[in-house]
Amino acid sequence: MTEEIKKDKKKKVVKTVTKRGDKKPATKAGRIFRGPLFWIVFAIIAVSVFGQISGAGSAFTKVNTSQILDAIAQSEVKSATVIDKDQIIRVELKPGRTISGASQVEASYVVRQEPTIIDALSANPPLNGWNIEVPKTPLLVSFLLSLAPILIIGLLFFFMLSQSQGGNKVFSFGKSRAKLQSDEVPKTTFADVAGADEAISELHEIKDFLANSAKYAELGAKIPKGVLLYGPPGTGKTLLARAVAGEAGVPFYSISGSDFVEMFVGVGAARVRDLFNQAKANAPAIIFVDEIDAVGRQRGTGMGGGHDEREQTLNQLLVEMDGFEANGQVILIAATNRPDVLDPALLRPGRFDRQIAVDRPDLKGREAILQVHAKGKPVAKDLVLLEYARRTPGFTGADLANVLNEAALLAAREQKKEIGNHELDEAIDRVMAGPQRKSRLMSDSERLVTAYHEAGHALVAHALPHTDPVHKITIMPRGRALGYTMVLPDDDKYSTTRNQLLDQLAYSLGGRAAEELIFHDPTTGASNDIEKATALAKAMVTQYGMTEAIGAIKLGTDGSEPFMGRSYGHERDYSEKVASIIDAEVRKLIENAHQEAFDILVANRKTLDAMVLELLDRETINKDDIAIIFKRVKSWAERPAWTGSITRIPSDIPPVEVPARAKIAEVAEAKKPRTRKKSSE
């Protein structure tokens, strides 16, 4: 019984959608005929033609002025009429007299001929006399002529306004600009979305609720009124909404948040009302608002007060979502990458009942995304996408799509028939650091300095016990960098220990330490490394509570959003004495890391020189070759236990053993132990 109801409902909805979608787009000729300019030109032509027709219907024949004057002089005229305003003389000849075969003729004259004509008629008066007419303009015509400039200006304004509104829509600016997706639009399904399994399951339930509402109604469950998709840019929020449109089988209205805002006050609220009225008429329906932060920002904030037009639009949206009237089966799906700036009234249950985080994909998600985008592309058989998923931590779905597209472009540029490992490796480097700058020719001395700098980074990172493996070292200029060292984890990490952060500080300064050790004259190439190390050390002191002098205290607030009702700039909530302690602790962390990197390089000088020679020869070294060169690296000792206080003594009892659990075979096989010599020499 439920399936029959579902089929009937779906059939009814599809009929509604098709009815709206059957409207063909207007052709160029159709747009011209609907425009006001066409009708203005048409009216002018019509008036001109009417004037010509009315003039052609006159009973008088046009002749020369001299012929009429001769007829008057010979007393052949029965009657005459002088039309002063039109400068025309009309005469009726005596019976039996004709001019050019006509007895009723007319002729034109100029202003200075008036005395001559009057004298001729006075000297030889016609049989029935003569008359002078002065035509008067009708009152209506005079009124229209006086209003002609105003009408022309109004028509021009009408035309320009209609064009700015996208055609003949001057009186429909309050209408919603939402697009109703029809069957003609290519559909995206959940099968086309990867790396967001949790979001897909939540949205799949929304689709099932619309299709099988009776199943949920039996348990007293109410349909969610709103779903908010939030996450970093490029994670697939809009793609998920398209997938819902392809899977739902109900009318799907899509609109951008900026489409509600217009130059006229109150237009946004009118468009919100019209949008929800359309959705209610075709319920059950889904409304998708992309970038809802354009109209959903917090009200009453900012240095100069709130934006009245935007607040009116938001107020109307709040009323429509959970107002006095019930909306029936209308679900609002919104997407934003700024959930922190949205109004609290918009985020409460009853409006956005579900808030789904669409975060950056994990290792499995990145592999699935690469497989989705690799469909339809000729990929080499030896290409292992899992390895490239490991090399791209933090990449979004858009980044991974760009990687495969860049790889396809590189393969086409090199006249290859398929995408191989070289193209995909180069594509990842292009996305991360930019294209190679082959035109930049460095001197041998600069190449030597760059090689020692990058080798210093890599050697320190390899020697420390809590760092990730070194995947690549290159001295080829790319983007704004003269070279770079790629240190990436084999698996995704969601938290970082204190020892890992200290190791990051050390290998960040490994390049600067190598320049000091070898050349005794450091360069400016370490400026970015110093900036990152300083920011990390300051975060360890003020945010992470990883120093004994400060402890587990959060110091300072970021007030960089003055237009959100927050303070302008950085607000200090601590004293000058504490600020001095913070500076001292940051300096202490940096100095210790710098010295640690320097000592590692001193202990492994031969290996450092060997790596530099390989870099100068090959310019780029990958993970496997790096492991071979670093076989003789002396690993650094573990740091002592740290609890933040001498009164908190660490326990000698080890943690409990992790219970055995089933693991995915593919992931287990893909995990490779790091090649690192624990002790040598």
Side-chain angles (χ1 to χ4, degrees):
M1 181 68 180
T2 306
E3 292 184 0
E4 293 179 358
I5 295 173
K6 178 182 175 180
K7 289 180 180 179
D8 294 341
K9 185 179 293 187
K10 189 173 181 179
K11 184 177 180 182
K12 182 180 179 181
V13 171
V14 170
K15 183 178 179 181
T16 304
V17 175
T18 305
K19 184 177 179 181
R20 287 177 173 265
D22 286 340
K23 188 177 180 180
K24 297 181 178 179
T27 61
K28 185 177 181 179
R31 291 194 298 268
I32 292 174
F33 290 140
R34 289 203 309 265
L37 184 62
F38 169 77
W39 296 107
I40 294 173
V41 175
F42 177 79
I44 295 173
I45 295 174
V47 171
S48 302
V49 171
F50 178 78
Q52 293 292 333
I53 295 175
S54 60
S58 177
F60 290 87
T61 304
K62 195 77 172 179
V63 297
N64 296 333
T65 307
S66 60
Q67 293 178 314
I68 292 182
L69 291 175
D70 291 341
I72 296 173
Q74 298 176 7
S75 300
E76 297 178 353
V77 177
K78 182 180 179 181
S79 62
T81 303
V82 180
I83 304 174
D84 181 61
K85 192 173 183 180
D86 296 338
Q87 294 180 332
I88 294 176
I89 179 172
R90 292 176 177 175
V91 299
E92 183 180 355
L93 301 177
K94 294 179 179 181
R97 305 292 184 176
T98 60
I99 300 177
S100 299
S103 60
Q104 293 181 340
V105 294
E106 66 177 9
S108 301
Y109 61 89
V110 297
V111 176
R112 295 183 179 182
Q113 285 184 311
E114 293 178 353
T116 303
I117 294 174
I118 298 300
D119 292 341
L121 291 173
S122 300
N124 300 288
L127 182 63
N128 294 337
W130 57 282
N131 186 29
I132 297 176
E133 291 184 2
V134 183
K136 295 182 179 180
T137 305
L139 182 62
L140 180 61
V141 176
S142 305
F143 179 73
L144 292 176
L145 290 176
S146 62
L147 291 180
I150 300 174
L151 292 175
I152 293 173
I153 295 173
L155 289 173
L156 290 175
F157 179 76
F158 180 92
F159 175 72
M160 291 187 292
L161 191 60
S162 64
Q163 293 299 315
S164 65
Q165 294 291 329
N168 193 16
K169 299 180 181 179
V170 65
F171 294 114
S172 62
F173 50 79
K175 299 294 183 180
S176 171
R177 295 184 177 181
K179 300 177 181 178
L180 179 61
Q181 307 294 328
S182 64
D183 293 335
E184 300 175 358
V185 180
K187 297 297 180 79
T188 304
T189 62
F190 289 139
D192 302 321
V193 184
D197 297 336
E198 294 81 5
I200 290 175
S201 62
E202 293 285 342
L203 293 174
H204 193 45
E205 185 177 341
I206 297 294
K207 183 227 34 166
D208 188 59
F209 202 116
L210 292 171
N212 301 315
S213 57
K215 178 176 69 174
Y216 297 90
E218 292 177 356
L219 300 174
K222 296 182 179 179
I223 187 171
K225 293 185 178 180
V227 178
L228 179 65
L229 303 174
Y230 66 92
T235 51
K237 299 181 293 294
T238 306
L239 184 64
L240 282 169
R242 292 177 183 171
V244 175
E247 295 276 354
V250 298
F252 185 89
Y253 298 87
S254 63
I255 192 172
S256 174
S258 60
D259 287 338
F260 292 113
V261 183
E262 193 58 76
M263 60 182 290
F264 304 104
V265 178
V267 172
R271 287 177 177 171
V272 171
R273 287 191 296 269
D274 184 69
L275 173 60
F276 276 86
N277 288 334
Q278 293 181 35
K280 291 175 188 177
N282 294 302
I286 296 176
I287 298 173
F288 173 64
V289 181
D290 199 6
E291 305 296 343
I292 196 173
D293 53 282
V295 294
R297 288 180 177 263
Q298 187 174 348
R299 293 168 292 180
T301 59
M303 300 177 65
H307 192 292
D308 187 63
E309 167 62 12
R310 180 174 53 78
E311 291 190 3
Q312 287 186 22
T313 306
L314 177 58
N315 292 337
Q316 186 63 44
L317 183 62
L318 296 175
V319 171
E320 293 291 344
M321 290 187 67
D322 189 20
F324 197 74
E325 298 181 359
N327 287 328
Q329 293 183 326
V330 177
I331 295 179
L332 177 65
I333 301 177
T336 181
N337 49 28
R338 296 293 306 277
D340 56 315
V341 304
L342 296 179
D343 193 272
L346 194 63
L347 299 177
R348 73 164 178 85
R351 291 195 173 105
F352 282 118
D353 300 281
R354 293 189 177 181
Q355 300 180 22
I356 304 173
V358 187
D359 208 349
R360 289 181 171 85
D362 55 5
L363 178 62
K364 291 175 56 181
R366 292 195 298 273
E367 183 185 8
I369 292 173
L370 288 173
Q371 290 175 352
V372 168
H373 291 291
K375 292 180 180 178
K377 294 183 176 66
V379 179
K381 295 181 180 180
D382 60 341
L383 196 66
V384 182
L385 295 178
L386 181 61
E387 295 296 327
Y388 294 98
R390 284 198 177 94
R391 287 188 53 188
T392 53
F395 274 41
T396 63
D399 295 330
L400 295 172
N402 191 24
V403 166
L404 277 175
N405 186 60
E406 287 287 344
L409 293 175
L410 290 171
R413 188 182 304 167
E414 297 176 3
Q415 305 296 325
K416 294 183 178 180
K417 300 299 182 182
E418 60 182 12
I419 301 172
N421 289 286
H422 172 71
E423 288 76 27
L424 201 54
D425 184 79
E426 175 65 20
I428 293 176
D429 291 341
R430 289 175 68 91
V431 173
M432 293 180 66
Q436 287 188 5
R437 304 187 67 175
K438 298 180 180 179
S439 61
R440 175 175 287 183
L441 300 177
M442 294 189 298
S443 62
D444 292 341
S445 60
E446 287 183 329
R447 292 181 73 248
L448 184 62
V449 172
T450 304
Y452 268 105
H453 184 102
E454 301 303 332
H457 282 304
L459 197 151
V460 174
H462 188 85
L464 292 171
H466 301 285
T467 56
D468 299 317
V470 182
H471 279 254
K472 177 183 283 190
I473 311 172
T474 181
I475 58 173
M476 285 289 295
R478 189 180 292 273
R480 293 181 294 177
L482 298 178
Y484 65 90
T485 302
M486 188 181 295
V487 181
L488 299 173
D490 287 331
D491 298 315
D492 291 329
K493 293 182 179 180
Y494 303 100
S495 62
T496 309
T497 65
R498 181 176 180 270
N499 281 321
Q500 290 173 345
L501 293 177
L502 292 175
D503 287 358
Q504 289 183 24
L505 285 177
Y507 79 73
S508 295
L509 298 171
R512 174 65 177 264
E515 294 180 9
E516 294 171 348
L517 175 65
I518 305 301
F519 303 102
H520 319 295
D521 189 17
T523 66
T524 59
S527 60
N528 190 37
D529 300 329
I530 295 173
E531 181 182 355
K532 291 181 178 179
T534 305
L536 180 57
K538 192 171 185 178
M540 292 177 64
V541 176
T542 61
Q543 298 181 32
Y544 306 146
M546 293 182 177
T547 57
E548 296 181 4
I550 299 296
I553 301 176
K554 172 68 167 63
L555 298 176
T557 58
D558 185 12
S560 58
E561 296 287 345
F563 295 100
M564 290 303 304
R566 305 168 187 167
S567 301
Y568 188 81
H570 183 76
E571 180 182 352
R572 283 181 47 178
D573 52 0
Y574 47 86
S575 64
E576 292 292 336
K577 183 179 179 180
V578 175
S580 177
I581 297 174
I582 292 173
D583 294 339
E585 290 296 315
V586 171
R587 182 179 181 85
K588 182 180 178 181
L589 289 173
I590 296 293
E591 287 294 332
N592 290 338
H594 197 166
Q595 187 64 43
E596 192 173 27
F598 192 90
D599 294 341
I600 292 173
L601 295 177
V602 172
N604 298 274
R605 172 62 188 273
K606 292 183 179 179
T607 307
L608 177 64
D609 293 338
M611 175 58 74
V612 169
L613 291 174
E614 287 291 329
L615 281 174
L616 293 174
D617 182 39
R618 300 167 56 181
E619 292 187 334
T620 300
I621 305 176
N622 294 320
K623 181 180 179 181
D624 297 335
D625 297 328
I626 293 172
I628 296 173
I629 300 173
F630 284 165
K631 277 185 177 181
R632 302 179 65 84
V633 171
K634 297 178 180 179
S635 298
W636 214 242
E638 292 277 353
R639 298 183 182 88
W642 186 87
T643 60
S645 175
I646 58 175
T647 60
R648 294 188 287 271
I649 302 173
S651 175
D652 295 331
I653 303 173
V656 299
E657 295 183 0
V658 179
R661 60 179 181 176
K663 296 184 178 181
I664 302 175
E666 188 178 10
V667 176
E669 293 176 0
K671 288 185 178 180
K672 297 180 180 179
R674 289 186 57 185
T675 305
R676 173 175 292 167
K677 192 173 181 66
K678 294 184 179 180
S679 62
S680 109
E681 299 181 8

